[in-house]
Amino acid sequence: MTDARKAIRRPRWAVVLWALACALLLAGAGLAVSAVPGAGAREREWRSAAPCAPGTPAEEGGDCLGTVTAVIGRTDARRPKKTSWLYFTDGRPMRRLAVSSEAAEEFRAGDRVRLTVWRGVVREVAGDRYVWRHHTPGAGDFAMVAAGLTLAAGYPAARTLLLVRGRRRPDDEVLPSALPFGAALVVTALWLLPLCYLHPTAPFATPATTAWTSLGTLTTLTLLIGAWRATRIRPPGESGTPSAEPAGGEVFLPARFLEATDYNPHHFGTHVVVGGDGPPAVVPHPGPGRFAARPIPVSRLTVLRVRRPRGSDSGLVPSGWHVAELDDSGTPVHLAAAPADLTRILCELPPRSRRGAHPARRDTGTSAGM
């Protein structure tokens, strides 16, 4: 095995790292879920709180809503990521109160405001021009965080799954990308996060939320099934359905010869055209027409085998393509294309040249001379 291929071997411990990342994110999601009941209870108690009886000091109000008037002495507005302050005249009912930067900019020195106190905490500052409300994370916030962490854990879980599915493949073989699973997770976030925020504990409480949850779940399952199929490792021989030929007979198939040859100078080819009146040829465009086409000398080529792409191949080979190892009169040449397209191209070679491309012959990671 060459040094280049050793440098791109798939680490054996990668599956452990991805699994650990998944576990940590799920643990965080579990902590967020555990906080949902308590946050929901606080929200309900805050909404149902009644004003305190006359004469009850605001700081002793407990579960009732105490009110106290105050005069703003000055404000200290800072950047959003830093704490802004309201300072009160004569230090009553307190010296200062932490607020948002927007509130510190809206209030002015000399403004008379009304403070609403609940359980010893100022929950609201109301003036003539602006009302500031203290934000306490509620059930929806924690539920949304839990859902977000769970979805985030889905990506390392997908990477772990792909590594486990490819554990018997050669170490330098390129495995399918986890992006199909990532796309399914992003789409899931679009419907799940708003649902968790607005209805954290009752996703089936109304017909509307029931439809929302059911349609979202069905969409996610469909996308996950599609991702599972899209990332399945297709060994050589499972070529799929070749592209249908148009009326003119010519088919332009995305394909690349990985070496520069007389029929692929400077790696200029992006497609191979087959069918029609002309021989198979390399072209730098998807057609139509054979402009700048370079005929492929099919009589010189012999198929040695077909395999999946490896890290030692050119970066131009997508993970879902296959690579045909060819012999060009003693010179090794590699042709990469999607499985069905590669089968269609190899069918253009003379029968004697295709002795190594039998569909039943699978890539085992070894071959003669390697």
Side-chain angles (χ1 to χ4, degrees):
M1 182 176 289
T2 64
D3 293 339
R5 288 181 59 179
K6 286 181 180 179
I8 53 178
R9 289 177 63 88
R10 191 160 55 248
R12 297 293 185 180
W13 40 260
V15 63
V16 177
L17 291 182
W18 285 112
L20 179 60
C22 178
L24 291 175
L25 289 169
L26 289 178
L31 290 176
V33 168
S34 66
V36 170
R42 285 194 300 271
E43 280 185 313
R44 291 189 296 271
E45 292 168 356
W46 160 249
R47 294 194 185 106
S48 62
C52 295
T56 304
E59 61 273 13
E60 298 178 5
D63 289 335
C64 63
L65 301 178
T67 58
V68 61
T69 58
V71 178
I72 294 178
R74 65 184 178 91
T75 63
D76 184 6
R78 301 187 180 183
R79 290 176 293 180
K81 292 186 177 181
K82 293 189 176 182
T83 304
S84 297
W85 301 93
L86 295 181
Y87 291 85
F88 298 100
T89 303
D90 300 329
R92 293 185 300 176
M94 61 188 67
R95 177 172 173 267
R96 65 180 185 176
L97 175 67
V99 296
S100 64
S101 59
E102 181 183 3
E105 292 173 354
E106 291 292 336
F107 287 115
R108 298 287 185 271
D111 284 353
R112 297 185 64 84
V113 294
R114 184 179 68 257
L115 280 62
T116 300
V117 183
W118 183 63
R119 293 182 176 177
V121 177
V122 177
R123 299 295 299 263
E124 183 178 286
V125 179
D128 295 334
R129 298 186 311 273
Y130 187 80
V131 177
W132 171 83
R133 292 181 176 86
H134 176 73
H135 175 70
T136 301
D141 297 281
F142 285 107
M144 187 171 66
V145 169
L149 290 174
T150 302
L151 292 176
Y155 188 77
R159 294 297 301 266
T160 303
L161 172 65
L162 293 179
L163 288 172
V164 171
R165 292 172 76 181
R167 65 188 181 279
R168 296 182 180 178
R169 309 301 301 174
D171 286 341
D172 63 340
E173 183 176 291
V174 177
L175 296 180
S177 170
L179 288 181
F181 286 102
L185 295 172
V186 170
V187 173
T188 301
L190 295 178
W191 69 264
L192 182 59
L193 297 185
L195 176 66
C196 290
Y197 183 77
L198 298 175
H199 307 280
T201 59
F204 299 99
T206 66
T209 58
T210 300
W212 185 351
T213 305
S214 301
L215 285 175
T217 303
L218 181 60
T219 300
T220 295
L221 289 176
T222 302
L223 292 175
L224 289 177
I225 292 173
W228 174 268
R229 292 177 177 175
T231 57
R232 185 169 65 90
I233 298 177
R234 300 177 181 273
E238 296 185 15
S239 59
T241 304
S243 303
E245 293 192 14
E250 288 187 340
V251 181
F252 290 80
L253 305 172
R256 292 181 181 275
F257 280 95
L258 305 185
E259 290 80 16
T261 62
D262 55 338
Y263 44 91
N264 183 43
H266 309 292
H267 302 275
F268 90 122
T270 60
H271 289 69
V272 170
V273 55
V274 297
D277 298 331
V282 180
V283 292
H285 56 81
R290 289 183 172 243
F291 174 74
R294 294 294 185 97
I296 300 174
V298 293
S299 60
R300 290 169 18 195
L301 301 179
T302 301
V303 181
L304 302 179
R305 68 168 179 168
V306 178
R307 59 171 173 80
R308 286 183 44 77
R310 294 179 176 175
S312 55
D313 296 322
S314 169
L316 298 176
V317 182
S319 60
W321 284 16
H322 285 171
V323 177
E325 296 182 354
L326 310 174
D327 178 85
D328 184 359
S329 299
T331 302
V333 178
H334 298 80
L335 172 63
D341 296 339
L342 186 60
T343 298
R344 178 69 179 83
I345 295 171
L346 296 182
C347 286
E348 297 294 323
L349 272 63
R352 63 174 182 81
S353 301
R354 301 198 300 268
R355 63 178 182 269
H358 193 277
R361 181 170 178 176
R362 303 296 179 89
D363 180 15
T364 61
T366 60
S367 66
M370 291 187 64

